[in-house]
């Protein structure tokens, strides 16, 4: 499997926020509190053991090796066939409304099946997801739609760079294949680019940061998650409530998820 | 199951079936993706949208861009891939032009004030009414008080045509740019007189990408974002250049520096002169370059001989080892050394020209002129001459004022650049040397720009008539009698843009979308106003006609340019071989000693004159730029506001600890004259000296017509009630104000953690 990843070179980054804004423009991300696929946090100036640092945390979804957000999705699973455009190979898997792509390693969302329950958002130690409650898949009882960085797969598939990489005014962001030793990304990893991981959070993020020891120390101190979050009880309850209805409908045949939700509503009315 | 239930179910099923055939992910899954009719589809991105090339105006750097339009709506802005300076890249502001265009607070129609001036009450009027009223008032004021009673404050691309109206009405008060007198003036004059050209004007001809070492004094590249400039800076660093940053604050650039010198504010020239002395006495200068290309070396050597490193260390509050290491590091790289000329230089009034002169002198001593890595020469782009836009008309008989505000200014070097902005404000308030009764304003917030803002507001209140041409109703607009809605750069043609730096090119601003509401282009506005005032010379039917004339100079047409991606590149000629180096000064050489200054009884070689230190209990207020904002213009922009909605007050961590102030706590500032700021949150950091506080400029707008920006953060400008005028050209100082902190209504004295040497006087506060 190929794994896409990104290098952020803090020696080049000046914290101009072009990445965050270009992402918002490209994917029409609303500006409500916490709604973003891509962000820049300004860190310092603060003292470190290597001297003073004024650096930045340009963040986005890490498309982790073992994403915490994927297994918590309560949406009913569907069988999905993935195809590797390079080899033509296919792979069929059962996936919920979010999954890790078996050929490029990106974590994706089928927004048309998202319930907006927020379990994935809560599970991510990096805060990479948000739930847009301005929209919802009402037909399946959704209360919002989860969103996050896709590594700009629709652009990458057309041969374009991710929007944040394209606009980066100092070429501080490098997108590529982590596990291809010939890639620039891999070269940076060999040079010491590092992941934001701690003893308790080791899920294999694929965004790597390169920079001076003082800047990496400040980044690590302020931005590396120190514990795996627990999905909130409400989400878990919601997820467990959803499950029986889905299973019920699975047995009902070919109506589809939407049909399942419609019937669930019907059942509720009949109970009255 | 009743019928309603059945319909609901079957509709949902049908939608699910339709979705499955529409190629959604899912393949042959049992459960199809479902969408209800009201649901949004996943955003499709900007791929495939129609692209029009143009030029950005979110700041004055003017990067080549493309606007991407779908269904008649601008959805995204990217860099023009043909551009040698930015390619597909644009900064946060460039990206956010979309939200300037669609800002709901935009001025949509011509508006007339109906309440008291400054009250912010408006009525919509027609263009005819608006232009008639402006013409009537210009004519009336001119007849009653003479032509010089009209004045124009301007900045940016929109202003050029309207300026022609003022010129043709015969006033001498038309080139009065805060961009000069409140910004680049001292640096521009220093370089003009020392090396014969303005190395740091709208463009900056310093070759950082090829430098082996760089010196920034106060320049905060990285927070000050001009895309190609930042790219060259980072390219230099990535190529291994060493970096010395002199700044009381630990800036973004300081974060990338090999040596950061956290200098006492106001003492930069002391450091520079000690370094120049050190370079001369330690034979670190380029003797051949000095012998062949400089005049005044002996006088310089003598003049700086008294400035020792030991003395400077005390004055500047720096460690002598660090000062020595820094100058040695710079000298080692010569001549590929970039002494950045700076830009915003109206810091302390007295000494501002001399400070930048000292950068030019050090550049020359290192032989870093016309060589890679140093300062270089612009490559002129021969644009065609445009006759259809009015020059000064023969019809206007010049009326010389008895005492000219411009020519008889107290500042010997101001008149070539315009009328001193602060003198215009004074003339309005005093009626001397003659009354100024009407003001036109375009693209500049005079209130947050020209100190003292309270004097400026007093002046605005007293005028007979004020009109402005603006996109957003900032603080200046709310004082106007008539507001004209300017077209956003994305809605209009402008002139041809020629870049004369290391990679010259020619490109054109052209509309990406049709103007919204009743916005009109600056040329249309000027042409229609000219008609009413009987001013000849706006003979081009539209902007395309004069763009065509300008492009003739490089043998191109607009259609040809557009066929080739909207941009053509030209060869560069930035460097000079030693035998070909001739500077555009009287001697053809670098003036280490400037005779023009001596002729006016000003110092021909810079001297260190201390600016007063903060009074006890106060810190000096310094300011800079937010990387996502331009001046006070972009704070209302949806996307930029979302990134950085308000500024923060940088406060030294030791000071904060002594005062018991916590990070992110809200405080108010009070300056030496008792003026108080909006509340502002504190950033507690070791990255600012204890004797200074810092905040980004342009926040804290007082305009209620900017719904997002209004009252967010604090305005440095409203703290600037004390200024000193630069004796060369009358530029006004902006770093001569002192503040203390007000918490819970009570003043807190800033502890005195940086002892002031005897040579530096302290400012004393007049007792009330």
């Amino acid at each position: 499997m190929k794994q896409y990843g990104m290098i952020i070179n803090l020696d080049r980054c000046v914290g101009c926020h072009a990445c965050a804004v270009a992402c918002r423009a490209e994917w029409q991300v609303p500006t409500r509190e916490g709604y973003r696929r891509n962000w820049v946090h300004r860190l310092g100036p603060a003292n470190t053991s290597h001297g003073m640092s004024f650096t930045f945390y340009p963040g986005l979804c890490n498309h982790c090796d073992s994403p915490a957000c994927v297994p918590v999705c309560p949406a009913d699973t569907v069988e999905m066939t993935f195809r590797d455009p390079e080899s033509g190979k296919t792979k069929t898997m059962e996936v919920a409304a979010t999954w890790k792509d078996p050929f490029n390693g990106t974590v994706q969302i089928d927004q048309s099946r998202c319930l907006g329950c927020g379990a994935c958002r809560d599970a991510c130690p990096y805060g990479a997801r948000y739930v847009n409650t301005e929209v919802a898949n009402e037909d399946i009882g959704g209360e919002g739609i989860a969103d996050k960085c896709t590594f700009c797969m629709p652009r990458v598939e057309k041969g374009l760079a991710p929007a944040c990489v394209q606009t980066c005014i100092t070429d501080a962001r490098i997108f590529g294949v982590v596990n291809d030793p010939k890639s620039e990304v891999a070269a940076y990893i060999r040079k010491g680019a590092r992941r934001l991981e701690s003893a308790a959070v080791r899920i294999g993020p694929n965004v790597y940061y390169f920079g001076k020891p003082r800047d990496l120390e400040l980044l690590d101190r302020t931005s590396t998650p120190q514990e795996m979050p627990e999905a909130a009880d409400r989400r878990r309850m919601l997820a467990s409530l959803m499950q029986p209805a889905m299973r019920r409908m699975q047995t009902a045949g070919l109506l589809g998820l939407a049909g399942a939700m419609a019937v669930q509503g019907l059942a509720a009315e009949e109970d009255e | 199951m009743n019928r309603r239930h059945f319909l609901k179910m079957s509709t949902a099923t049908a939608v699910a079936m339709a979705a499955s055939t529409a190629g959604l992910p899912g393949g042959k899954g049992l459960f199809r993706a479902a969408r209800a009719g009201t649901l949004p589809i996943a955003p499709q991105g900007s791929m495939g949208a129609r692209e029009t090339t143009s030029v950005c105006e979110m700041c004055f750097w003017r990067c080549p861009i493309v606007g991407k339009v779908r269904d008649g709506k601008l959805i995204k802005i990217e860099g023009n891939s043909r551009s040698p300076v930015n390619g597909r890249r644009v900064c946060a502001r460039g990206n956010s032009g979309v939200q300037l265009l669609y800002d709901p607070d935009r001025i949509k129609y011509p508006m007339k004030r109906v309440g008291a001036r400054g009250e912010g009450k408006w009525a919509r009027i027609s263009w005819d009414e608006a232009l008639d009223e402006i013409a009537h008032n210009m004519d009336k004021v001119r007849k009653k008080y003479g032509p010089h009673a009209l004045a124009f404050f301007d900045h940016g691309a929109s202003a050029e045509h309207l300026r022609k109206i003022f010129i043709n009405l015969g006033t001498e008060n038309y080139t009065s740019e805060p961009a000069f007198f409140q910004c680049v003036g001292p640096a521009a004059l220093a370089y003009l007189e020392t090396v014969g050209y303005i190395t740091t004007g709208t463009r900056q001809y310093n070759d950082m990408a090829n430098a082996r070492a760089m010196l920034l004094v106060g320049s905060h590249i990285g927070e000050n974002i001009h895309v190609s400039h930042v790219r060259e800076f980072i390219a230099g660093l990535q190529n291994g250049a060493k970096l010395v940053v002199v700044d009381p604050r630990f800036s973004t650039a300081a974060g990338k520096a090999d040596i950061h010198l956290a200098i006492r504010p106001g003492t930069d020239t002391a450091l520079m002169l000690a370094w120049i002395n050190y370079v001369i006495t330690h034979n670190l200068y380029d003797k051949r370059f000095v012998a062949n290309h400089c005049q005044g070396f002996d006088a310089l050597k003598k003049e700086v001989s008294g400035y020792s490193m030991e003395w400077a260390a005390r004055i500047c509050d720096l460690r002598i080892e660090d000062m020595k290491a820094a100058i040695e590091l710079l000298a080692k790289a010569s001549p590929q050394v970039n002494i950045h000329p700076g830009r915003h230089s109206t810091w302390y009034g007295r000494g501002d020209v001399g400070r930048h002169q000292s950068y030019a002198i050090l550049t020359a001593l290192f032989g870093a002129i016309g060589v890679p890595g140093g300062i270089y020469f612009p490559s002129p782009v021969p644009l065609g001459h445009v006759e259809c836009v009015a020059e000064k008309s023969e019809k206007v008989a010049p009326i010389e004022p008895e005492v000219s505000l411009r020519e008889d200014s107290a500042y010997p070097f101001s008149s070539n650049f315009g009328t001193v902005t602060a003198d215009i404000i004074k003339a309005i308030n005093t009626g001397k040397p003659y009354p100024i009764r009407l003001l036109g304003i375009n693209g500049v917030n005079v209130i947050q720009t020209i100190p003292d803002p309270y004097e400026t507001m007093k002046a605005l209140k007293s005028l007979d008539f004020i009109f402005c041409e603006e996109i957003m109703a900032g603080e200046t607009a709310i004082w106007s009698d008539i507001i004209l809605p300017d077209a956003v750069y994305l809605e209009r043609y402008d002139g041809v843009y020629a870049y004369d730096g290391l990679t010259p090119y020619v490109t054109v601003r052209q509309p990406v979308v049709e103007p919204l509401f009743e916005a009109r282009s600056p040329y249309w506005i000027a042409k229609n106003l000219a008609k009413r005032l009987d001013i000849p010379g706006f003979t081009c039917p539209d902007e395309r006609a004069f763009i065509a004339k300008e492009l003739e100079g490089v043998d191109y047409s607009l259609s040809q340019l557009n066929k080739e991606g909207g941009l053509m590149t030209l060869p560069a000629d930035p460097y000079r071989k030693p035998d070909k180096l001739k500077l555009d000064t009287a001697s053809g050489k670098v003036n280490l000693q400037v005779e023009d200054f001596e002729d006016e009884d000003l110092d021909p070689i810079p001297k260190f004159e201390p600016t007063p230190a903060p009074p006890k209990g106060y810190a000096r207020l310094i300011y800079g730029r937010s990387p996502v904002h331009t001046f006070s213009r972009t704070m209302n922009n949806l996307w930029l506001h979302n990134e950085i909605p308000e500024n923060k007050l940088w406060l030294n961590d030791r000071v904060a600890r002594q005062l018991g102030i916590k990070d992110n706590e809200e405080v108010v500032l009070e300056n030496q004259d008792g003026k108080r700021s909006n509340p502002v949150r504190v950033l507690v950091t070791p990255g600012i000296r204890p004797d200074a506080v810092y905040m980004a400029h342009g926040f804290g707008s007082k305009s209620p017509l900017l719904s997002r920006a209004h009252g967010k953060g604090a305005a440095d400008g409203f703290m600037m009630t004390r200024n000193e005028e630069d004796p060369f050209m009358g530029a006004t100082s902006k770093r001569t104000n002192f503040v203390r902190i007000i918490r819970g209504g009570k003043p807190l004295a800033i502890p005195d953690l940086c002892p002031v040497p005897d040579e530096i006087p302290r400012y004393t506060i007049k007792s009330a």
Side-chain angles (χ1 to χ4, degrees), chain A:
Chain A
M1 180 194 93
K2 147 173 111 174
Q3 174 67 56
Y4 278 129
M6 193 178 288
I7 299 292
I8 294 175
N9 183 345
L10 296 175
D11 287 349
R12 286 179 168 270
C13 179
V14 295
C16 79
H17 297 237
C19 45
V21 180
C23 174
R24 198 172 290 281
E26 182 74 34
W27 301 112
Q28 297 138 54
V29 178
T31 50
R32 284 173 73 175
E33 178 75 33
Y35 284 25
R36 78 280 181 279
R37 290 180 171 199
N38 184 308
W39 62 88
V40 177
H41 294 166
R42 307 180 73 74
L43 311 177
N47 289 315
T48 74
S49 60
H50 304 278
M52 208 185 292
S53 165
F54 183 13
T55 193
F56 310 97
Y57 171 29
L60 66 167
C61 172
N62 285 290
H63 300 272
C64 299
D65 296 341
S66 312
C69 52
V70 168
V72 298
C73 177
D76 218 352
T77 57
V78 296
E79 198 173 82
M80 190 182 284
T81 301
F82 297 86
R83 187 174 168 278
D84 180 11
E86 281 162 34
S87 64
K89 278 187 204 159
T90 59
K91 185 170 179 183
T92 302
M93 311 190 307
E94 287 278 317
V95 299
T98 186
W99 62 87
K100 186 170 175 70
D101 187 293
F103 291 112
N104 62 29
T106 64
V107 175
Q108 303 293 346
I109 303 171
D110 178 357
Q111 293 190 321
S112 67
R113 293 196 294 118
C114 177
L115 298 161
C117 72
C120 58
R121 175 196 58 201
D122 293 353
C124 175
Y126 300 96
R129 292 176 176 241
Y130 70 97
V131 176
N132 183 349
T133 55
E134 290 171 6
V135 292
N137 292 306
E138 284 163 6
D139 55 340
I140 54 172
E143 7 182 83
I145 295 180
D147 192 41
K148 68 169 193 69
C149 162
T150 64
F151 263 167
C152 273
M153 276 305 121
R155 290 176 58 90
V156 171
E157 280 161 10
K158 290 198 161 74
L160 299 167
C164 59
V165 173
Q166 175 182 282
T167 207
C168 179
I169 68 167
T170 60
D171 305 334
R173 303 172 84 100
I174 299 149
F175 178 74
V177 179
V178 170
N179 48 357
D180 171 4
K182 292 193 291 289
S183 74
E184 203 183 346
V185 170
Y188 265 98
I189 296 169
R190 284 195 297 275
K191 277 197 294 184
R194 49 154 302 177
R195 306 167 161 206
L196 299 184
E197 284 190 306
S198 62
V201 181
R202 292 209 171 276
I203 56 174
N206 283 300
V207 177
Y208 290 74
Y209 294 83
F210 182 83
K212 295 177 179 63
R214 61 189 186 222
D215 295 337
L216 291 178
E217 182 181 318
L218 181 59
L219 173 69
D220 187 53
R221 191 167 86 207
T222 55
S223 312
T224 299
Q226 297 301 319
E227 56 188 38
M228 288 300 292
E230 297 268 326
D233 288 346
R234 199 181 78 82
R235 318 276 167 222
R236 286 175 178 267
M237 266 172 60
L238 185 75
S240 63
L241 280 172
M242 300 301 279
Q243 292 290 7
M246 307 245 181
R247 291 212 189 88
R248 194 161 50 196
M249 281 321 298
Q250 264 178 331
T251 59
L254 294 167
L255 278 173
L257 183 58
M261 296 312 299
V263 172
Q264 188 193 21
L266 183 68
E269 282 186 38
E270 279 170 356
D271 286 347
E272 280 165 16

Side-chain angles (χ1 to χ4, degrees), chain B residues 693-725:
Chain B
V693 294
Y694 167 87
M695 57 190 185
H697 168 74
F699 291 87
S701 177
K702 290 193 191 291
S703 171
L705 302 185
L706 301 179
S707 57
R708 290 186 202 97
H710 182 228
K712 297 274 173 55
D716 56 326
F718 288 109
M719 295 285 97
M720 292 177 189
T721 50
R722 174 180 176 265
N723 65 78
E724 292 182 19
E725 273 134 23

Side-chain angles (χ1 to χ4, degrees), chain B residues 212-213 242 284 325-337 366:
Chain B
R212 290 172 54 224
K242 299 291 182 193
L284 295 173
I327 193 65
E328 295 277 354
L329 183 151
L330 295 169
K332 205 174 144 194
S334 72
Q336 272 176 272
V337 57
F366 286 147

Side-chain angles (χ1 to χ4, degrees), chain B residues 19 34 56 70 97 111 123 139 147 155 168 216 230 304 313 336 346 372 384 409 473 482 492 530 681 740 756 765:
Chain B
C56 190
R70 184 177 287 143
M111 308 227 281
D139 200 45
H155 185 263
N168 278 282
L216 304 182
V230 176
V304 299
Q336 272 176 272
T346 50
S409 133
I482 299 279
R492 67 181 202 232
R681 285 179 198 285
R740 59 182 176 176
V756 179
I765 294 182

Side-chain angles (χ1 to χ4, degrees), chain B residues 306-612:
Chain B
Y307 297 109
S308 71
M309 293 287 253
E310 291 74 15
W311 168 83
R314 196 175 75 252
I315 295 293
C316 304
D317 194 17
L318 294 171
R319 296 190 329 156
I320 199 160
E321 312 86 90
D322 297 339
M323 291 163 53
K324 277 189 183 160
I327 193 65
E328 295 277 354
L329 183 151
L330 295 169
K332 205 174 144 194
S334 72
Q336 272 176 272
V337 57
N338 197 273
I339 310 300
H340 194 288
R343 171 193 293 283
H344 176 78
S345 45
T346 50
W347 293 1
Y348 305 109
R350 299 181 71 78
D352 284 343
V353 172
R355 185 179 60 248
H356 291 264
Q357 233 182 311
S358 72
Y359 309 159
I361 290 168
L362 191 59
T363 303
L365 293 180
F366 286 147
I369 298 175
V371 295
I375 59 172
Y376 64 86
F377 295 97
S379 303
V381 176
L383 293 181
H385 177 64
V386 181
E387 285 154 7
C388 57
V389 177
E391 295 300 326
K392 189 162 185 167
S393 163
E394 299 296 323
K395 279 174 69 176
V396 183
I399 300 173
E400 300 286 341
E402 208 164 295
V403 179
S404 165
L405 196 56
R406 185 169 179 143
E407 303 301 331
D408 304 324
S409 133
Y411 314 102
F413 296 95
S414 65
S415 63
N416 290 342
F417 302 105
T419 309
V420 175
T421 47
D423 284 355
I424 292 180
I425 301 296
K426 270 182 221 154
I428 296 170
N429 282 337
T430 63
K432 286 172 189 162
Y434 51 72
I436 293 179
R437 303 306 310 156
L438 180 146
L439 207 53
I441 303 172
N442 184 320
V444 53
N445 181 344
V446 293
I447 293 173
Q448 279 216 28
T449 308
I450 305 174
D452 161 346
Y454 302 92
E455 286 295 308
T456 305
M457 283 189 268
K458 189 174 129 197
L460 295 184
K461 255 183 231 172
S462 74
L463 285 165
D464 289 5
F465 189 75
I466 313 172
F467 75 97
C468 73
E469 183 182 321
E470 290 291 354
I471 295 161
M472 304 294 298
E475 280 133 328
T476 299
I478 60 171
W479 288 90
S480 299
D481 299 313
I482 299 279
I483 308 179
L484 303 176
D486 201 355
V488 170
Y489 64 98
L490 298 158
E491 300 169 318
R492 67 181 202 232
Y493 286 97
D494 257 329
V496 171
Y497 290 95
Y499 175 65
D500 58 0
L502 286 174
T503 49
Y505 61 79
V506 167
T507 187
V508 169
R509 174 172 295 145
Q510 46 194 340
V512 168
V513 291
E514 291 295 311
L516 293 170
F517 316 112
E518 286 188 11
R520 295 284 184 272
S521 76
Y523 184 73
W524 184 95
I525 295 170
K527 187 177 161 76
N528 283 281
L529 189 55
K531 220 185 292 175
R532 287 165 166 82
L533 289 161
D534 200 22
I535 293 169
F538 287 83
T539 55
C540 286
D542 57 28
E543 294 87 342
R544 271 175 298 187
F546 64 74
I547 287 171
K549 293 258 186 207
E550 284 186 298
L551 285 176
E552 277 172 17
V554 285
D555 294 327
Y556 255 67
S557 69
L558 184 56
S559 61
Q560 197 180 350
L561 194 69
N562 277 335
K563 256 181 235 146
E564 294 171 18
L567 186 144
M568 63 174 288
T569 53
L570 294 159
D573 182 23
Y575 308 129
R576 300 286 182 273
K577 293 224 161 59
D579 56 324
K580 296 271 190 287
L581 178 65
K582 191 173 180 304
L583 291 155
D584 200 11
T585 55
S587 59
K589 294 182 175 185
V590 177
N591 291 322
L592 299 176
Q593 175 185 33
V594 178
E595 283 170 17
D596 288 351
F597 293 168
E598 194 160 30
D599 292 346
E600 300 292 343
D601 293 328
L602 294 162
D603 296 330
I605 295 167
K607 282 188 171 68
F608 173 67
E609 287 176 272
T611 188

Side-chain angles (χ1 to χ4, degrees), chain B residues 615 617-619 621 649 667-678 680 693 695 718-721 737-743 745-748 750 765:
Chain B
Y618 287 75
L621 174 64
L649 180 80
V667 299
V668 166
L669 298 179
E670 184 184 68
N671 81 353
Q672 71 284 334
D673 297 319
K675 295 288 183 197
R676 290 195 177 185
S677 74
N678 280 354
V680 58
V693 294
M695 57 190 185
F718 288 109
M719 295 285 97
M720 292 177 189
T721 50
N737 287 269
F738 310 106
V739 293
R740 59 182 176 176
I741 287 171
I742 307 291
R743 188 175 55 177
K746 291 197 189 85
L748 300 177
I750 307 277
I765 294 182

